[in-house]
Amino acid sequence: GQNIDQPTEMTATEGAIVQINCTYQTSGFNGLFWYQQHAGEAPTFLSYNVLDGLEEKGRFSSFLSRSKGYSYLLLKELQMKDSASYLCAGMDSNYQLIWGAGTKLIIKP
Amino acid sequence: IAGITQAPTSQILAAGRRMTLRCTQDMRHNAMYWYRQDLGLGLRLIHYSNTAGTTGKGEVPDGYSVSRANTDDFPLTLASAVPSQTSVYFCASSESAGGAKNIQYFGAGTRLSVL
């Protein structure tokens, strides 16, 4: 079966660094997406990885290891506005996204 | 540019009633999707359309139907609503279905309660 696992909730301090992990099992693999979703709002795209390694985009970076079925999202210099849920999604062989339940990130001052 | 627009924003519906959720995009994207989001679960795909004139079933299609008469519009119909269809419904679109072109852009969602 297809499955995406990520922690339900994490807490971090403003200004710190946090790493949100995601493991995936998909039928075929065509890439890994990360989205941000603030409470009551729509998901918004953060990153897409299809090759192994780290992709950096400002304060956010995303890493992929295809051999381990593993990805993480790294958030640096945390700001209060980063309080949100972070959704991991794997794209399967049919190009459909399989979504994790999301990690709720709580930022404390 | 509006992007992707959903209507209504929220709705309370009596069980057994028919309801159509509307979705329109102005990005000329080929692919469109309908998801439902329930607490504690990931987004689940209901139906999708890779291009105008074609549709496909997702993970949870039962009780729902869609049509894609043109590029811009992708309505979702609940033929006879049941309480288990209470959820937040998101419409999304992407340039196409494959690779990086499958970056999906979401509407603001429709919050539906079936009583």
Side-chain angles (χ1 to χ4, degrees), chain A residues 101, chain B residues 38-42:
Chain B
D38 301 290
L39 198 62
L41 299 177

Side-chain angles (χ1 to χ4, degrees), chain B residues 37-74:
Chain B
Q37 187 175 41
D38 301 290
L39 198 62
L41 299 177
L43 289 161
R44 292 184 291 170
L45 183 65
I46 304 171
H47 285 287
Y48 65 93
S49 169
N50 287 337
T51 189
T54 70
T55 62
K57 294 181 179 180
E59 180 186 355
V60 288
D62 293 344
Y64 307 95
S65 64
V66 292
S67 61
R68 187 89 184 277
N70 57 60
T71 297
D72 299 344
D73 301 301
F74 191 43

Side-chain angles (χ1 to χ4, degrees), chain A residues 30-31 33 35 37-48 50 85 87 91 94-102, chain B residues 33 35 37 40-45 48 50 57-59 90 97-109 111:
Chain A
N30 282 298
F33 293 82
Y35 279 74
Q37 185 177 25
H38 285 101
E41 297 183 7
T44 55
F45 170 75
L46 289 177
S47 68
Y48 170 68
V50 67
S85 288
L87 314 182
M91 185 159 54
N94 293 319
Y95 299 104
Q96 291 188 3
L97 298 191
I98 310 301
W99 296 82
Chain B
Y33 313 86
Y35 291 97
Q37 187 175 41
L41 299 177
L43 289 161
R44 292 184 291 170
L45 183 65
Y48 65 93
N50 287 337
K57 294 181 179 180
E59 180 186 355
F90 286 104
K101 294 185 177 181
N102 199 356
I103 294 171
Q104 295 182 14
Y105 298 88
F106 286 78
R111 284 147 188 81

